[in-house]
Amino acid sequence: MSSTDPTTTRRGRPRGFLLLAAALLALAGPFGVPSASAVAGAAGAAPARAAAAPASEGPDPIDFAVVVDQSKSLSDRDLVRETEAAALLSQGEISERSRATVIGFGSSEKSGQSPVREVCPPTVVDGAGRQRLSDCVTRLAHRDSVRTGPGTDFPAAIRQAVARLTEDSGTGGAQAPKTPRVLFLLTDGRLDVRDSPEYGADPGSRQANGAKRLADELARARAAGVQIWPLGFGGGIDRDALTAMAEGGFRGACSDVPGSVPRMRVVSGSAGIDRALQETFAAARCARIVTGDVARPPADLYVTIPPIATDGSLTVGKHDPKVRVTYYDPEGRKVPLHGSFDGSSFEVSGEDGPVEALRVTNPLPGRWRVRVEAPEGHRGQEVAVRALWQGRLRSAVVLDPASPRPGQRTVVEVRLQTRRGVVVADPRQLEGVTVTAHLAGDGFAPVAFRLADDGRAPDRTAGDVRFTGTVTVPATATGDLELTTSMAAPGITSDRRPFHTRIAEGTPPVVAQLSLERVTAHPGDAVPGVLQVANHDTVPHTLRIALADDAPDTPDTGTGTGTGTGTGGSGPKAGSAAPRISPETVVVPPGGSVDARFTVTLGAGTPLGELGSRLAVTDTARAGETLDTAFLDVHVEAPPTWWERWWPYVIGGAVVLVLLAALTAVQLLARRRRLDLTGVRIELRKEGWVLDTLEVRAGQSPGGEFRFTIEEPAGPAPTLHHAHGAGAAHRLRRTGSGALLLRPETGPETPVHTAVPVEVADAELVIRTPGGFRGRTGPVRTPRGARPGRPPRRPDPATAPGADGTAAAPSAPPAPEPHPDF
């Protein structure tokens, strides 16, 4: 692209200007429309490279058991549906640190039978574990009537699941375990132990004893911190019994969000089990489920992953293992089944089973395409795609003042950002979120308080996704302070990174304030800022400006300190998205004040959207004490395309070209009209008589020249003819000034005047223009006997004037008469 400024380009000829504009338009291409990857939502776009999250930053694990009813009341089709639903959970789990157990159950009615059948022992749901689960869960589809009876022994099933969920675990008792324990129960019927001898001597007592033992097992589950989520289907459901099981287990939840507390659910038939169970699973682990398309292969299925998702799984209910699946991200790129690509990591499992899943870390938000194909004979069943996802958000905290005194009221402001480092700026993505904070430290009991985004003081603007609150530091506080924020919303969890600061002791020797205006910038731009410092000390102080947290593409250390140590105290952090600060240090003289200006240069790989970095100014002479913090309040947009940068000049040039072209066309048309001889009449005369006339017709005078000949056949009078071709001819031409020039076949070109005869050979030519026809007093008559092909009669000497010897009276020459054909 030329570096010439279009505003200073010299004005050339129309032809040169036209060529220049054509070149500019060609360079602009199809108007420089930015690609889908360059335009992103406020919280959706990502840098070209992003580090995969470490295990500590991934989704929280859960221990879960899927307990499936295999009693005689289920049809073979229902059993297959249950099996596929169980596979959906084991394949779709988003944390590779979770453990899954799959248990089938019936009853024990004779020797050699067991009421439970553990088809999948506790298995860590990592890549290899998910494949093992995909293989072993298929055993649920086949009853073993020799080893399991046809009844429904709920107490035995719950007991087995609780035992597996609590073995090798940490915290137990009535307190919530460190890792949530969840039991998903799929059943189509009621408690049925009438034929189980271990419950009593007769059917009646067995049912009663079974109900009592069920209550005991629920109490045991509650004590062990095991949640129970029953899912019933069919027409024989005992809703009260399922509700009692949900309420009898542990009532803890993954968050305070309504819906995350265990509850029972009923679907009308086995066809809806898979979707209902996935929705139940999402509620139990504070995730969200997005339902995609359903179609028979071959087909393209679509499902959308939102911008705040940081971990997810695309589950494909194939039913038939012969169905093959290919995955494409929102950019239309085929993603790998294993490994990393464009900042995301991928891992597929269940390719040879009825359910396949692609686990994605740091998924690219948007509409994903899932291509499903199958050979002939395996295309009869519908394939469904869903996305299970969770957003693990980071919190960026600013305190005002950064180092409060005991008893001082402090304002806390929190912004949320994804693992890719993009601030969440759309309040619709956090609908229903609640943010709380906990202040802990030396000398006082922890203090909890709420943060709000409602526009009420101290919150500045409602709906700007900045949660603000106040806390008064206890008067007994000494030393270190630790602030931890947490959030609760469907599908959202917090990283719970603490923010550290210290109590200010007495009057601070140095007071500093960071000021940055809210701006819109592009990657690579420099953002200005001001550091105002007052030094009340007797010695100079060196202050350092640094990022207060890790760069978006740098793995988190988990400290989240507000001391600026994330940068190592010097130089920019690693990563193409890390901002660079210049200058980094400011020296303040004793007893003086400084207004130091600095710039923050955005990295070339800075993600689009709201930038979530924080700046901190620290005093190097006081062990890096934080004096002030501020958000780097920048909205990052994609760099302008060539068309966006130059379109005013291109449009202006095009307009000028159009005007010049129109002016040129008008001038050419006017010149053409001035030169045009249409309507001009040529008269051929001889001895005062008009022998012939010829009028120039439209199109016969190109370039303002008309060619004609005088034909003189033997006998008849000469005639005028329009000359065609390139032969010899007389030429009548009009100049740009309107003058008429006549060039005979032989001889020089001479000017001619309207109505003034010009001698040509032995005749005369008279040129009359259309304007000259007006104002004549009467018609001009042709001499008697003059007609085409015959010469006009000449005057009789006997009757001519002066024939009688007297002189003829002076008079004007007779008016010439036109040729009869004129």
Side-chain angles (χ1 to χ4, degrees), residues 126-186:
D126 54 13
R130 287 202 301 165
Q131 190 58 52
R132 287 195 297 271
L133 289 166
S134 176
D135 296 335
C136 66
V137 77
T138 57
R139 296 165 56 193
L140 285 174
H142 307 285
R143 292 185 180 90
D144 188 349
S145 57
V146 175
R147 298 180 57 184
T148 304
T152 309
D153 192 342
F154 289 133
I158 294 175
R159 182 170 61 251
Q160 180 72 14
V162 170
R164 290 292 179 256
L165 291 172
T166 55
E167 64 183 7
D168 299 328
S169 61
T171 304
Q175 299 296 324
K178 184 177 180 180
T179 301
R181 302 162 180 166
V182 184
L183 189 160
F184 299 97
L185 176 64
L186 283 71

Side-chain angles (χ1 to χ4, degrees), residues 175-233:
Q175 299 296 324
K178 184 177 180 180
T179 301
R181 302 162 180 166
V182 184
L183 189 160
F184 299 97
L185 176 64
L186 283 71
T187 179
D188 76 329
R190 303 164 179 258
L191 174 68
D192 183 7
V193 291
R194 291 171 296 179
D195 297 325
S196 299
E198 64 176 290
Y199 285 98
D202 58 84
S205 62
R206 291 168 182 166
Q207 285 292 101
N209 292 333
K212 293 177 182 179
R213 189 173 298 180
L214 176 58
D216 293 339
E217 296 301 335
L218 292 175
R220 180 168 172 259
R222 182 169 59 251
V226 177
Q227 304 175 33
I228 300 177
W229 294 73
L231 176 63
F233 60 94

Side-chain angles (χ1 to χ4, degrees), residues 68-386:
V68 178
D69 187 348
Q70 291 186 296
S71 62
K72 186 178 180 181
S73 59
L74 277 102
S75 66
D76 291 341
R77 179 177 177 81
D78 290 344
L79 200 59
V80 169
R81 287 289 190 179
E82 280 189 322
T83 301
E84 293 177 353
L88 279 171
L89 295 196
S90 61
Q91 297 305 303
E93 166 54 17
I94 57 179
S95 173
E96 62 179 10
R97 294 179 291 152
S98 296
R99 290 194 312 165
T101 305
V102 181
I103 300 170
F105 75 98
S107 63
S108 175
E109 299 178 358
K110 59 184 178 180
S111 177
Q113 289 186 335
S114 171
V116 295
R117 180 187 175 204
E118 193 172 281
V119 297
C120 298
T123 304
V124 177
V125 191
D126 54 13
R130 287 202 301 165
Q131 190 58 52
R132 287 195 297 271
L133 289 166
S134 176
D135 296 335
C136 66
V137 77
T138 57
R139 296 165 56 193
L140 285 174
H142 307 285
R143 292 185 180 90
D144 188 349
S145 57
V146 175
R147 298 180 57 184
T148 304
T152 309
D153 192 342
F154 289 133
I158 294 175
R159 182 170 61 251
Q160 180 72 14
V162 170
R164 290 292 179 256
L165 291 172
T166 55
E167 64 183 7
D168 299 328
S169 61
T171 304
Q175 299 296 324
K178 184 177 180 180
T179 301
R181 302 162 180 166
V182 184
L183 189 160
F184 299 97
L185 176 64
L186 283 71
T187 179
D188 76 329
R190 303 164 179 258
L191 174 68
D192 183 7
V193 291
R194 291 171 296 179
D195 297 325
S196 299
E198 64 176 290
Y199 285 98
D202 58 84
S205 62
R206 291 168 182 166
Q207 285 292 101
N209 292 333
K212 293 177 182 179
R213 189 173 298 180
L214 176 58
D216 293 339
E217 296 301 335
L218 292 175
R220 180 168 172 259
R222 182 169 59 251
V226 177
Q227 304 175 33
I228 300 177
W229 294 73
L231 176 63
F233 60 94
I237 295 298
D238 186 342
R239 291 175 176 267
D240 292 338
L242 295 184
T243 300
M245 281 190 272
E247 295 178 352
F250 183 63
R251 300 299 288 166
C254 60
S255 75
D256 297 331
V257 176
S260 63
V261 177
R263 65 188 185 278
M264 76 91 177
R265 182 170 179 176
V266 174
V267 294
S268 58
S270 62
I273 290 180
D274 54 352
R275 176 174 177 176
L277 185 58
Q278 274 196 303
E279 291 173 349
T280 300
F281 184 75
R285 70 148 15 265
C286 281
R288 291 189 188 180
I289 190 80
V290 179
T291 301
D293 295 335
V294 179
R296 291 185 175 88
D300 287 322
L301 310 179
Y302 293 91
V303 65
T304 301
I305 296 180
I308 60 175
T310 57
D311 302 274
S313 286
L314 300 177
T315 59
V316 184
K318 304 187 298 185
H319 307 296
D320 190 336
K322 293 292 185 180
V323 175
R324 293 303 173 201
V325 186
T326 309
Y327 304 88
Y328 298 87
D329 70 9
E331 296 283 340
R333 301 169 298 185
K334 180 181 177 181
V335 300
L337 299 181
H338 299 277
S340 299
F341 174 72
D342 194 18
S344 302
S345 59
F346 303 89
E347 186 178 60
V348 75
S349 63
E351 291 180 279
D352 297 326
V355 175
E356 181 176 327
L358 180 69
R359 179 187 291 163
V360 188
T361 303
N362 293 335
L364 189 65
R367 194 166 178 247
W368 286 68
R369 177 166 68 98
V370 178
R371 178 67 181 175
V372 293
E373 297 176 297
E376 291 288 348
H378 297 270
R379 301 175 179 177
Q381 298 192 72
E382 289 185 331
V383 178
V385 60
R386 299 185 185 93

Side-chain angles (χ1 to χ4, degrees), residues 256-580:
D256 297 331
V257 176
S260 63
V261 177
R263 65 188 185 278
M264 76 91 177
R265 182 170 179 176
V266 174
V267 294
S268 58
S270 62
I273 290 180
D274 54 352
R275 176 174 177 176
L277 185 58
Q278 274 196 303
E279 291 173 349
T280 300
F281 184 75
R285 70 148 15 265
C286 281
R288 291 189 188 180
I289 190 80
V290 179
T291 301
D293 295 335
V294 179
R296 291 185 175 88
D300 287 322
L301 310 179
Y302 293 91
V303 65
T304 301
I305 296 180
I308 60 175
T310 57
D311 302 274
S313 286
L314 300 177
T315 59
V316 184
K318 304 187 298 185
H319 307 296
D320 190 336
K322 293 292 185 180
V323 175
R324 293 303 173 201
V325 186
T326 309
Y327 304 88
Y328 298 87
D329 70 9
E331 296 283 340
R333 301 169 298 185
K334 180 181 177 181
V335 300
L337 299 181
H338 299 277
S340 299
F341 174 72
D342 194 18
S344 302
S345 59
F346 303 89
E347 186 178 60
V348 75
S349 63
E351 291 180 279
D352 297 326
V355 175
E356 181 176 327
L358 180 69
R359 179 187 291 163
V360 188
T361 303
N362 293 335
L364 189 65
R367 194 166 178 247
W368 286 68
R369 177 166 68 98
V370 178
R371 178 67 181 175
V372 293
E373 297 176 297
E376 291 288 348
H378 297 270
R379 301 175 179 177
Q381 298 192 72
E382 289 185 331
V383 178
V385 60
R386 299 185 185 93
L388 180 74
W389 64 269
Q390 190 177 72
R392 189 175 180 87
L393 301 183
R394 296 176 176 178
S395 57
V397 181
V398 167
L399 265 64
D400 185 15
S403 184
R405 296 188 301 272
Q408 185 174 12
R409 181 175 178 267
T410 304
V411 177
V412 179
E413 185 178 0
V414 174
R415 302 190 71 182
L416 307 177
Q417 63 187 48
T418 68
R419 192 183 293 136
R420 286 178 175 258
V422 178
V423 172
V424 180
D426 187 353
R428 293 172 297 181
Q429 298 174 6
L430 297 177
E431 185 176 358
V433 69
T434 59
V435 180
T436 57
H438 299 266
L439 181 66
D442 299 333
F444 65 95
V447 178
F449 58 100
R450 294 285 297 272
L451 306 177
D453 181 23
D454 54 8
R456 300 177 182 177
D459 187 57
R460 289 174 291 181
T461 305
D464 63 352
V465 201
R466 299 186 182 199
F467 295 86
T468 311
T470 59
V471 60
T472 299
V473 179
T476 57
T478 60
D480 293 339
L481 295 177
E482 180 182 277
L483 181 72
T484 305
T485 60
S486 60
M487 63 203 73
I492 297 172
T493 60
S494 174
D495 58 359
R496 296 180 293 278
R497 293 186 302 167
F499 176 90
H500 293 284
T501 187
R502 289 184 59 84
I503 289 293
E505 300 175 359
T507 302
V510 179
V511 178
Q513 181 177 1
L514 285 167
S515 300
L516 296 101
E517 294 184 3
R518 178 175 175 81
V519 297
T520 298
H522 310 300
D525 286 355
V527 178
V530 177
L531 172 62
Q532 296 175 310
V533 187
N535 184 4
H536 305 295
D537 205 350
T538 57
V539 296
H541 283 253
T542 300
L543 306 187
R544 185 180 303 280
I545 307 171
L547 294 177
D549 46 8
D550 291 325
D553 59 351
T554 304
D556 184 27
T557 62
T559 61
T561 62
T563 63
T565 57
T567 64
S570 64
K573 292 178 287 187
S576 63
R580 300 188 308 276

Side-chain angles (χ1 to χ4, degrees), residues 409-793:
R409 181 175 178 267
T410 304
V411 177
V412 179
E413 185 178 0
V414 174
R415 302 190 71 182
L416 307 177
Q417 63 187 48
T418 68
R419 192 183 293 136
R420 286 178 175 258
V422 178
V423 172
V424 180
D426 187 353
R428 293 172 297 181
Q429 298 174 6
L430 297 177
E431 185 176 358
V433 69
T434 59
V435 180
T436 57
H438 299 266
L439 181 66
D442 299 333
F444 65 95
V447 178
F449 58 100
R450 294 285 297 272
L451 306 177
D453 181 23
D454 54 8
R456 300 177 182 177
D459 187 57
R460 289 174 291 181
T461 305
D464 63 352
V465 201
R466 299 186 182 199
F467 295 86
T468 311
T470 59
V471 60
T472 299
V473 179
T476 57
T478 60
D480 293 339
L481 295 177
E482 180 182 277
L483 181 72
T484 305
T485 60
S486 60
M487 63 203 73
I492 297 172
T493 60
S494 174
D495 58 359
R496 296 180 293 278
R497 293 186 302 167
F499 176 90
H500 293 284
T501 187
R502 289 184 59 84
I503 289 293
E505 300 175 359
T507 302
V510 179
V511 178
Q513 181 177 1
L514 285 167
S515 300
L516 296 101
E517 294 184 3
R518 178 175 175 81
V519 297
T520 298
H522 310 300
D525 286 355
V527 178
V530 177
L531 172 62
Q532 296 175 310
V533 187
N535 184 4
H536 305 295
D537 205 350
T538 57
V539 296
H541 283 253
T542 300
L543 306 187
R544 185 180 303 280
I545 307 171
L547 294 177
D549 46 8
D550 291 325
D553 59 351
T554 304
D556 184 27
T557 62
T559 61
T561 62
T563 63
T565 57
T567 64
S570 64
K573 292 178 287 187
S576 63
R580 300 188 308 276
I581 301 169
S582 179
E584 292 182 325
T585 58
V586 175
V587 178
V588 188
S593 62
V594 172
D595 287 352
R597 298 187 178 275
F598 63 93
T599 59
V600 180
T601 303
L602 306 182
T606 302
L608 306 183
E610 298 290 334
L611 195 61
S613 298
R614 290 180 301 130
L615 296 182
V617 54
T618 57
D619 189 347
T620 60
R622 295 173 61 87
E625 176 185 354
T626 300
L627 303 181
D628 193 25
T629 58
F631 284 119
L632 185 55
D633 214 1
V634 178
H635 180 77
V636 185
E637 294 182 345
T641 62
W642 187 95
W643 172 251
E644 290 171 338
R645 184 182 296 111
W646 297 104
W647 74 263
Y649 304 107
V650 176
I651 295 298
V655 171
V656 172
L657 283 178
V658 171
L659 293 177
L660 287 177
L663 179 61
T664 302
V666 171
Q667 292 176 339
L668 290 176
L669 181 61
R671 182 174 183 275
R672 193 173 172 185
R673 288 180 176 176
R674 288 197 304 270
L675 298 179
D676 192 13
L677 296 173
T678 300
V680 172
R681 187 173 63 189
I682 304 174
E683 294 180 355
L684 177 63
R685 292 188 174 197
K686 199 168 186 179
E687 298 180 3
W689 303 104
V690 177
L691 303 181
D692 198 5
T693 60
L694 180 62
E695 183 176 344
V696 181
R697 303 185 185 278
Q700 293 182 341
S701 57
E705 182 179 270
F706 178 72
R707 302 173 70 254
F708 64 96
T709 59
I710 302 175
E711 303 292 340
E712 298 187 13
T719 56
L720 297 171
H721 296 276
H722 176 217
H724 299 279
H730 304 286
R731 299 183 183 185
L732 179 64
R733 183 171 66 89
R734 176 175 279 163
T735 66
S737 62
L740 294 174
L741 302 174
L742 178 65
R743 179 190 296 274
E745 289 187 20
T746 59
E749 187 176 58
T750 59
V752 294
H753 302 283
T754 303
V756 177
V758 178
E759 292 186 2
V760 177
D762 59 348
E764 294 177 337
L765 294 177
V766 176
I767 309 300
R768 298 186 183 276
T769 59
F773 300 157
R774 297 189 297 269
R776 292 183 299 189
T777 57
V780 180
R781 303 182 63 84
T782 303
R784 185 180 304 170
R787 61 178 181 269
R790 297 180 60 185
R793 291 192 306 172

